[in-house]
Amino acid sequence: MYDGWKIVIGLIIGIGLLIFPLFYNGLKAAKAPEPELTAKAKEAKECIESKSFMRTQHMKILDRWRNEVVRDANRLYESTSGMRFDKSLQNTCMDCHSNKSKFCDQCHNYMGVVPYCWDCHIEPKENK
Amino acid sequence: MGMDRRRFLKIAGLSAVMGLGGKAAFDLFAPGELEASVKDVPITAVKKWGMVVDMSKMDDEIMEKCIEACHRIHNVPNIGNLKDEIKWIWKEIYEHTFPGQHHQYVSEAYHGRNFLVFCNHCTNPPCCRVCPTKATWQREDGIVMMDQHRCIGCRFCMAACPFGARSFNYGDPRKAPKELNPDFPTNPAYPTRTKGVVEKCNLCAERLAKGEVPACMEAANKIKEDSLVFGDLDDPDSKVRELLREHYSIRRKPELGTEPNIYYIV
């Protein structure tokens, strides 16, 4: 191997840079942020569906809602518990969860997802 | 090449059978599953929404109020230049509104007079025919709708629309000049649009769903009763049909065969 020592040093530096973040965080994963509830959301006790369902399925619900509302003009959502809601991210979800930065963004940032909802839909005004 | 006609046909036949067992079999043996889930609730009892603009009652002040009401409710920004202008409803002079009707001896009352124009919600909408993603389509009640989630900004619809009813967002509407839009977005209950999508009048579909009338009609009728009337063209007892029975009315560019559903009493 010609210039073997150069390659080995290069490899050490390269791999070192690659695994540096692991050691920088003390070999522990960053703690997942917990979504914060507003007083209004706490008072309601339950969202449109159960907490575990909302955790895993909220994006699918929102995706279905946007099609049903815009394309079929079907605007009423009936939950499993029989409650009725206006299918609206801006007017229903964000009415309770008006703390977007603590409720939505924290987790989305942690997971590295960038939903483009807010390119058009207006986010609630927050007192940060 | 070592393949004779007989062998080729065998392989072709076998491939067709295999293909049938794959994706094609789902389409053939379980049809309509998708359609069943989409068609949940019919849109409304209405067959064909339409509007009548009574120009004998309409004046520039009413038109301005209609435009303001619509653009405020739908967060339509004032871009400040004609090239990038976004409009759902606007004023157009007689010569441009009805180019086929104009002649050099036209009555002075009409020469240069402003008309209130917006999307005609045509019965044969050319915009929907050209849309490659079905982002714009005709609802069962006749409204030509836009689905901003699906628009890819190709602007075929803008080229197809003979009425110029569609506007393109060349930039982010939220970055429209602040001095022209001091309180934008004006309606926090309605979304804005994003850069790169086409927009137009939706006949206030979101208000109809709540049992309200279109914003322009509400604004116009506050000033002058029945200057703008909206209703079901399919219902012979509706107000729009009554007006059309009693008055002579014209439509924009009827010769193109798009069958506009906005009528002008002149």
Side-chain angles (χ1 to χ4, degrees):
Chain A
M1 192 157 65
Y2 296 107
D3 289 336
W5 61 277
K6 284 186 192 162
I7 296 171
V8 170
I9 290 175
L11 276 174
I12 291 171
I13 294 174
I15 293 171
L17 278 175
L18 213 65
I19 59 174
F20 166 74
L22 293 176
F23 291 99
Y24 185 76
N25 283 331
L27 285 174
K28 277 193 227 75
K31 210 171 155 285
E34 193 64 22
E36 261 175 44
L37 292 176
T38 57
K40 194 173 179 185
K42 269 185 195 148
E43 205 180 304
K45 292 272 194 307
E46 198 179 84
C47 197
I48 57 165
E49 296 290 347
S50 70
K51 190 174 168 184
S52 60
F53 183 83
M54 292 313 291
R55 266 206 177 177
T56 53
Q57 306 289 321
H58 66 276
M59 62 302 267
K60 292 183 185 164
I61 284 204
L62 288 171
D63 185 38
R64 270 184 50 191
W65 277 14
R66 69 175 190 176
N67 283 326
E68 288 166 0
V69 168
V70 180
R71 303 199 77 88
D72 310 334
N74 172 6
R75 287 173 187 257
L76 264 186
Y77 178 76
E78 205 174 315
S79 70
T80 14
S81 57
M83 298 259 282
R84 289 178 153 214
F85 298 93
D86 182 17
K87 290 178 193 165
S88 169
L89 166 71
Q90 213 172 305
N91 299 328
T92 304
C93 304
M94 302 318 278
D95 182 39
C96 270
H97 303 295
S98 49
N99 52 340
K100 174 173 169 281
S101 56
K102 294 278 181 204
F103 188 78
C104 310
D105 296 348
Q106 271 193 151
C107 254
H108 289 162
N109 290 343
Y110 176 75
M111 299 297 292
V113 288
V114 189
Y116 52 77
C117 312
W118 312 106
D119 287 3
C120 294
H121 291 275
I122 299 166
E123 46 195 85
K125 283 204 174 67
E126 286 182 82
N127 318 310
K128 279 175 208 166
Chain B
M1 296 297 277
M3 193 191 286
D4 56 11
R5 184 182 153 85
R6 189 179 164 81
R7 189 170 149 74
F8 171 77
L9 286 173
K10 268 187 189 165
I11 293 173
L14 202 66
S15 314
V17 172
M18 299 278 274
L20 209 62
K23 197 198 158 296
F26 282 99
D27 297 342
L28 280 178
F29 303 126
E33 224 168 77
L34 195 70
E35 286 96 300
S37 65
V38 171
K39 264 202 182 140
D40 214 348
V41 180
I43 283 187
T44 42
V46 173
K47 292 264 171 57
K48 196 199 262 183
W49 286 118
M51 245 191 201
V52 173
V53 186
D54 191 342
M55 288 310 293
S56 64
K57 292 177 177 159
M58 201 41 99
D59 58 33
D60 273 31
E61 189 210 339
I62 303 179
M63 291 182 212
E64 284 297 342
K65 286 274 184 254
C66 293
I67 296 166
E68 197 196 324
C70 170
H71 288 180
R72 282 194 76 82
I73 276 177
H74 296 115
N75 295 324
V76 178
N78 178 0
I79 305 289
N81 73 70
L82 276 175
K83 184 179 85 64
D84 301 338
E85 180 188 32
I86 296 174
K87 54 195 186 340
W88 285 29
I89 177 168
W90 70 104
K91 290 188 296 189
E92 196 76 80
I93 58 170
Y94 174 76
E95 289 86 330
H96 295 166
T97 312
F98 304 103
Q101 304 280 327
H102 181 60
H103 53 82
Q104 59 176 321
Y105 309 116
V106 77
S107 150
E108 275 200 13
Y110 286 100
H111 184 70
R113 186 181 172 190
N114 278 323
F115 279 69
L116 190 66
V117 294
F118 43 99
C119 172
N120 280 293
H121 296 277
C122 304
T123 305
N124 299 320
C127 51
C128 300
R129 278 173 53 192
V130 297
C131 180
T133 61
K134 289 245 169 85
T136 190
W137 81 105
Q138 192 175 35
R139 293 198 337 181
E140 283 154 74
D141 56 358
I143 296 181
V144 176
M145 269 290 272
M146 264 304 291
D147 185 350
Q148 311 293 352
H149 303 121
R150 252 192 222 195
C151 180
I152 56 170
C154 71
R155 292 180 281 156
F156 282 13
C157 56
M158 291 176 70
C161 176
F163 306 104
R166 292 172 166 269
S167 309
F168 185 65
N169 284 281
Y170 287 94
D172 186 346
R174 294 187 192 180
K175 290 188 185 139
K178 267 276 163 286
E179 60 276 14
L180 298 170
N181 308 277
D183 51 354
F184 189 83
T186 39
N187 181 6
Y190 195 80
T192 65
R193 263 66 56 195
T194 181
K195 182 182 176 175
V197 296
V198 171
E199 60 182 277
K200 67 164 201 86
C201 158
N202 64 353
L203 214 61
C204 283
E206 82 286 357
R207 288 168 60 90
L208 299 183
K210 287 187 274 178
E212 294 167 7
V213 297
C216 53
M217 174 177 167
E218 192 178 86
N221 290 1
K222 251 185 220 161
I223 303 173
K224 196 141 197 180
E225 196 69 29
D226 293 343
S227 47
L228 205 56
V229 181
F230 161 85
D232 187 2
L233 287 167
D234 203 53
D235 173 13
D237 302 322
S238 64
K239 182 106 187 177
V240 277
R241 285 287 295 275
E242 191 189 310
L243 281 169
L244 293 178
R245 251 197 311 276
E246 287 165 6
H247 300 89
Y248 174 68
S249 57
I250 55 174
R251 294 186 293 176
R252 296 184 69 195
K253 304 186 185 174
E255 69 278 9
L256 297 176
T258 67
E259 299 288 337
N261 285 311
I262 311 298
Y263 293 80
Y264 294 86
I265 295 175
V266 290

